[in-house]
Amino acid sequence: MAAHAPGLPLYGYEFSDPDAPVLTGLPANPGFPYGAAHGFEMPFLFSSFPTERPLTDAQRALSDRMVDYWTNFAHTGNPNSPDAPLWPVLRPSSPLAQSVQSLAPGPGGIHPVDADSAHHCSFWDRLPQ
């Protein structure tokens, strides 16, 4: 993305709520919870997405913050606002600054995380292709 839009800031996120409500219609998965599966952030952004249970109070607070971030980004090109935890710019050219915003409910749930390190990308990069 950075190669195609040099100079434009990039913002990455990782939805990190392992107890996110399961989307209605997905099969039961006993012994292997869905956790923060791909797309499970959508009910946090759009309340019309049907889920098997409603958001908790902490998840509703996260939802409100996420909607604020997305709205600020759509309006200004920057998700940040003075009353929210800082969402850092993703700097793909710097291996030491691969921070994305971790989005999880509860105190301290919204914070920058080095996704490369957290997901052991260097291990996976070493595997033969």
Side-chain angles (χ1 to χ4, degrees), residues 72-116:
N72 286 339
F73 182 77
H75 184 70
T76 68
N78 182 333
N80 292 295
S81 66
D83 63 331
L86 179 68
W87 187 326
V89 172
L90 178 61
R91 301 196 187 282
S93 61
S94 171
L96 301 176
Q98 294 289 329
S99 289
V100 299
Q101 192 76 320
S102 178
L103 300 168
I110 299 174
H111 62 278
V113 63
D114 180 342
D116 235 28

Side-chain angles (χ1 to χ4, degrees), residues 50-97:
T51 56
E52 292 182 353
R53 63 171 173 75
L55 299 178
T56 65
D57 289 345
Q59 289 169 330
R60 274 195 303 281
L62 172 62
S63 170
D64 291 345
R65 178 59 64 208
M66 289 171 64
V67 169
D68 287 346
Y69 278 137
W70 265 248
T71 301
N72 286 339
F73 182 77
H75 184 70
T76 68
N78 182 333
N80 292 295
S81 66
D83 63 331
L86 179 68
W87 187 326
V89 172
L90 178 61
R91 301 196 187 282
S93 61
S94 171
L96 301 176

